[in-house]
Amino acid sequence: MFRRIGSAVVRHPVWTIVAWLIAAVAIVATAPSLPSTSDESSFLPKSYESIKAADLQEKAFPSAFTPSAIALYQRTDGGKLTAADQQDVARITTELGRKNIDQVQKVVPGQPSEDGRYALTLVQMDSKNAGTPKQADAAEVLREDVKQLAQGTDLDVKLGGSAAQALDQQDSSQRGEALIGIGTFVIILVTLLIIFRAPILAVLPLVLIGVVAAIANGLIAYATKLFDLQANSSISSILIVVLFGVGTDYFLFLMFRYRERLRAGDESKQAMVNAVARVGEAIASAAGAVIIAFLALVLSTLGFLKQMGPALAIAVAATLVAGLTLIPAVVSLIGPKVFWPSKSWQREPENARFAALGRSVQRRPALTAVVSGLVLLVLSLGTFGYKATFDLASGSMPKTKESMVVQDEMQKAYSAGAAAPTDVYLSSTDGEPLDKAAFDAYAEKLGAVDGVASARMTQVNKEGTTADFTVTLQYEASTDKAIDAVDRVRDVAHSDAPEGTEALVGGMSSIYKDIDTAVKHDYRTVFPVAAVLIMVILGLLLRSVVAPWYLIASVGLGFGATLGATVWIFQDGAGHSGLMFMLPVIMYLFVVAIGTDYNILMIARLREEAREGREPREAASMALKHAGPTVAAAGVILAATFATMMLAGNSLLTEMGFAVSFGIAIAAFVMAMFFTPSLTALIGHAAWWPGHGDRAEPAADAGTVTSGAEREAAVDDPAGRRR
């Protein structure tokens, strides 16, 4: 099949390129805009308690005041607010309410801090647009207006709250995308120049993958609209890295084999046909593993991951098609001039280092397997210290952003949970009015829960059937302590609800608690499904039942080593309270899926060498010699590309960038280079059971015996015969 694809593309390169350009223009011109939200509650399905509580609040208290933005005032000299300062705060609050800013529904004064140094203005916005660009725009206007109104006073004012966080997150995301994009381009360009010493080859993948990126983004926008998926600003940054990182990997897989065929004496166009024929199956299988792993995310209960899965799968699918059609078409048009001005492509390199690595694996496969396995196992021990953090807002932007400064200052000036209180909604089950005499006792029980600062009944709906109890926690909403406390609040709220009533617990801490539950569900669902599907792809590629088991086990060890190293560096080393909650899921899929690429490339080459008649240990040695440079180059570029995410300046992308780049380095330089080939050499022919995928192909002339050197030099001639 792949030979037919290669032949068709090489015969009609111009038409192939024209088809891609037409598709790019058509899709980009007609694709809808990609919506985005940073509202954590939108990540969860309606079945979770925190979402049920939010729905109940909208029905029972449609006019309830929930601040989306908070203006925090303090004196410029840091002292207590004077009577004149308080008058200025009242004036600013009143004038801000008269401006009729879009999305703003109500502006009211907030409670001053107990130490008298801080005052608040609370701004309510349309809850239907929470976390959207509309509210980010409204927050930008609010921030400008409130600062302008404070000019000429002794007050310093900052705007925080969820709408301001959406604004700052949007700005941070745009800055991060720019840095990631520039870093990705520079790394790919410089690394390819070093590898090939050919400017055309260095620039070519950037141009071609740029076309693929435009098409992929358009297709993702279509899919997002068609299936009503949630989008998140972090996806754009990840997409840049996936498209250019994975695309460059497939470009390298193809170009290394194309160069090898040219050195073996193939005519230029036939060399490309043979390159696609020989490496096409490995590229397709590698891409298939990545696509399957990403699609497994549709089983997630989190809207963010449900969107990320199909988006990344579409991106990789587009990259795969380009790797088998667009890239071969363009390179076949240019021919060997693509390597200009370098002449090194004409000479077979000694690959001395990789040949030496191959010989060491051939001589001591057991020692190699044990040492590389121990490295992975020791690093995996760090996973036992893993803790999750759920503050997506602060995780996705620097602490210096204004909304983050407001959050930190409010935690010091007020009760840590005051900025995002928990609400317990008590409703009658029979539609009759609630017994108000039971309210005080119920509030007292809620207030006595460990971790609760205060609890009081704040409002009852018009029908008297639902009461809102505001519970202020002692801890900031996203901390582990707050999540544990809200779990205890739920227990008491449910068990001690008066007869004939039921309780629902809402608020940000309740949302984070449900996100924690959802993530644990995903660990139990997404991980095994992705692993099984990848094993199926490996089994189909290798025609083996045995090999997929130890290949997926090695990748699992790679995941453990990556998570363990990330825990040690960021939790123990940098002092982070935990890693971002979705990091293990993303890490698993990237490390398992993309890391499998290198295993597939190495094991496919090992099988190819075995089919030339070599014994398992010699085949492993030759596979390392020939495929080692490709895996090393691809691993360096992809790891460095993901590392550019650390330039974004926020903890989420910093942790993600390190974890994925480290995991890819482990996959390329420990698993694919040592662990997988040494295990395959040890297991021998049994690795390919029940098929015989490693057996030498029958010679055309049974009376002809070829030497190892002749077998190594054997190539496909234009007629497809061995020579």
Side-chain angles (χ1 to χ4, degrees):
M1 181 179 76
F2 295 101
R3 178 172 294 281
R4 289 195 296 272
I5 292 172
S7 297
V9 169
V10 169
R11 280 200 306 270
H12 308 290
V14 175
W15 285 113
T16 302
I17 296 167
V18 168
W20 270 93
L21 292 176
I22 291 173
V25 172
I27 291 172
V28 171
T30 60
S33 59
L34 188 64
S36 180
T37 180
S38 57
D39 179 19
E40 285 90 343
S41 65
S42 68
F43 297 167
L44 290 167
K46 300 294 184 183
S47 58
Y48 282 87
E49 181 171 352
S50 60
I51 307 304
K52 289 180 179 178
D55 291 341
L56 175 61
Q57 182 241 311
E58 287 186 11
K59 294 175 184 175
F61 308 102
S63 59
F65 188 89
T66 304
S68 299
I70 302 170
L72 179 67
Y73 305 89
Q74 65 181 127
R75 283 185 60 83
T76 53
D77 60 9
K80 289 187 176 182
L81 298 174
T82 64
D85 295 331
Q86 292 170 355
Q87 289 177 356
D88 285 331
V89 171
R91 173 185 59 79
I92 293 169
T93 302
T94 301
E95 292 186 22
L96 203 60
R98 291 174 180 167
K99 286 185 174 288
N100 295 320
I101 299 169
D102 180 48
Q103 297 294 308
V104 173
Q105 296 176 329
K106 192 182 296 184
V107 181
V108 301
Q111 292 291 325
S113 62
E114 290 184 4
D115 60 9
R117 295 173 57 209
Y118 295 89
L120 302 173
T121 293
L122 306 178
V123 181
Q124 179 176 279
M125 296 187 186
D126 186 352
S127 61
K128 294 178 181 178
N129 293 322
T132 63
K134 284 185 178 180
Q135 289 204 357
D137 294 341
E140 187 173 17
V141 175
L142 274 169
R143 184 172 283 170
E144 292 174 358
D145 287 351
V146 76
K147 291 181 185 295
Q148 186 178 15
L149 291 170
Q151 286 180 0
T153 70
D154 294 324
L155 296 172
D156 175 56
V157 58
K158 299 182 183 70
L159 191 75
S162 59
Q165 288 176 354
L167 171 63
D168 290 341
Q169 189 174 348
Q170 179 179 288
D171 292 342
S172 179
S173 177
Q174 291 172 351
R175 174 182 174 274
E177 280 183 37
L179 289 171
I180 289 169
I182 293 169
T184 298
F185 271 66
V186 170
I187 285 170
I188 292 174
L189 189 66
V190 171
T191 310
L192 289 177
L193 277 172
I194 293 171
I195 293 171
F196 292 108
R197 300 180 183 87
I200 297 176
L201 266 181
V203 174
L204 193 59
L206 297 175
V207 175
L208 298 182
I209 297 167
V211 174
V212 177
I215 292 175
N217 276 306
L219 292 174
I220 289 165
Y222 274 121
T224 300
K225 184 177 181 179
L226 181 63
F227 298 105
D228 194 26
L229 299 171
Q230 293 290 343
N232 183 274
S233 54
S234 297
I235 290 178
S236 298
S237 301
I238 298 170
L239 269 176
I240 294 171
V241 179
V242 168
L243 281 163
F244 283 91
V246 174
T248 305
D249 262 12
Y250 298 160
F251 179 82
L252 284 172
F253 290 177
L254 187 66
M255 292 311 300
F256 269 90
R257 186 52 73 98
Y258 174 61
R259 187 175 65 177
E260 184 179 327
R261 303 313 304 164
L262 287 174
R263 286 169 174 165
D266 286 7
E267 180 271 331
S268 174
K269 291 186 179 297
Q270 190 60 39
M272 180 54 71
V273 173
N274 289 338
V276 174
R278 292 208 170 196
V279 84
E281 186 179 22
I283 291 177
S285 300
V290 178
I291 291 168
I292 287 293
F294 287 159
L295 284 178
L297 282 175
V298 300
L299 300 174
S300 170
T301 49
L302 293 174
F304 168 67
L305 294 178
K306 276 181 178 290
Q307 156 66 8
M308 179 183 286
L312 296 180
I314 289 169
V316 175
T319 307
L320 166 63
V321 177
L324 296 177
T325 59
L326 180 61
I327 294 173
V330 173
V331 174
S332 67
L333 269 182
I334 301 172
K337 291 179 182 177
V338 76
F339 297 105
W340 178 88
S342 174
K343 303 289 186 182
S344 61
W345 66 270
Q346 299 172 346
R347 302 184 301 273
E348 180 71 31
E350 295 182 3
N351 287 343
R353 294 178 183 175
F354 293 98
L357 288 176
R359 288 193 296 272
S360 68
V361 170
Q362 181 179 359
R363 288 194 301 268
R364 301 182 184 86
L367 179 63
T368 304
V370 169
V371 171
S372 55
L374 279 175
V375 169
L376 298 175
L377 198 59
V378 169
L379 288 173
S380 298
L381 296 176
T383 58
F384 293 107
Y386 167 73
K387 294 179 182 177
T389 182
F390 297 87
D391 189 355
L392 189 59
S394 62
S396 57
M397 70 183 98
K399 295 291 186 183
T400 54
K401 284 289 186 180
E402 187 170 326
S403 58
M404 292 295 96
V405 174
V406 170
Q407 179 175 290
D408 291 342
E409 290 185 351
M410 284 194 65
Q411 288 180 37
K412 298 172 185 174
Y414 297 83
S415 170
T422 295
D423 289 287
V424 177
Y425 298 102
L426 189 68
S427 301
S428 65
T429 55
D430 55 9
E432 295 296 320
L434 295 168
D435 179 10
K436 295 183 179 180
F439 287 174
D440 288 343
Y442 189 62
E444 187 176 346
K445 290 177 181 177
L446 293 173
V449 174
D450 183 26
V452 172
S454 64
R456 59 191 178 91
M457 198 284 292
T458 51
Q459 57 184 333
V460 180
N461 68 339
K462 292 179 181 179
E463 296 79 11
T465 55
T466 300
D468 177 9
F469 293 80
T470 299
V471 178
T472 303
L473 303 179
Q474 296 174 357
Y475 317 106
E476 195 275 319
S478 64
T479 61
D480 290 340
K481 290 183 178 179
I483 293 168
D484 291 341
V486 86
D487 196 25
R488 293 190 291 270
V489 168
R490 282 184 175 183
D491 289 341
V492 171
H494 297 157
S495 62
D496 291 343
E499 187 177 350
T501 67
E502 63 178 2
L504 290 173
V505 181
M508 289 310 302
S509 293
S510 185
I511 289 172
Y512 291 135
K513 172 61 184 175
D514 286 340
I515 288 176
D516 185 31
T517 302
V519 170
K520 289 175 180 175
H521 164 272
D522 292 349
Y523 291 165
R524 296 190 300 270
T525 306
V526 177
F527 284 19
V529 168
V532 168
L533 292 176
I534 290 173
M535 284 181 66
V536 169
I537 289 177
L538 289 171
L540 292 173
L541 168 67
L542 303 174
R543 283 79 169 174
S544 166
V545 173
V546 176
W549 284 98
Y550 66 82
L551 289 175
I552 203 69
S554 72
V555 176
L557 275 174
F559 164 76
T562 303
L563 180 57
T566 307
V567 167
W568 280 337
I569 288 175
F570 288 97
Q571 285 185 200
D572 301 336
H576 290 196
S577 59
L579 302 180
M580 197 54 60
F581 68 91
M582 81 277 283
L583 187 63
V585 176
I586 294 171
M587 186 191 307
Y588 174 85
L589 292 168
F590 277 93
V591 174
V592 169
I594 297 178
T596 303
D597 282 9
Y598 305 128
N599 265 345
I600 286 174
L601 187 69
M602 185 62 72
I603 203 77
R605 186 61 190 244
L606 193 152
R607 182 184 61 179
E608 186 178 324
E609 296 294 338
R611 283 177 170 174
E612 295 290 343
R614 296 182 174 88
E615 287 302 310
R617 294 193 181 195
E618 185 188 0
S621 174
M622 297 306 297
L624 260 173
K625 177 182 177 181
H626 292 297
T630 309
V631 170
V636 166
I637 289 179
L638 193 58
T641 301
F642 273 101
T644 61
M645 296 172 72
M646 299 173 71
L647 299 173
N650 65 67
S651 59
L652 171 60
L653 291 180
T654 298
E655 291 173 1
M656 192 183 299
F658 169 82
V660 177
S661 60
F662 183 85
I664 287 167
I666 286 286
F669 296 101
V670 179
M671 286 158 34
M673 291 282 190
F674 298 104
F675 197 62
T676 297
S678 60
L679 275 180
T680 307
L682 274 176
I683 297 171
H685 295 297
W688 308 95
W689 184 86
H692 302 286
D694 66 329
R695 301 297 181 177
E697 297 174 352
D701 181 357
T704 303
V705 179
T706 56
S707 68
E710 289 171 333
R711 285 197 304 269
E712 186 177 343
V715 296
D716 290 321
D717 67 16
R721 297 185 298 271
R722 304 295 298 175
R723 68 173 176 83

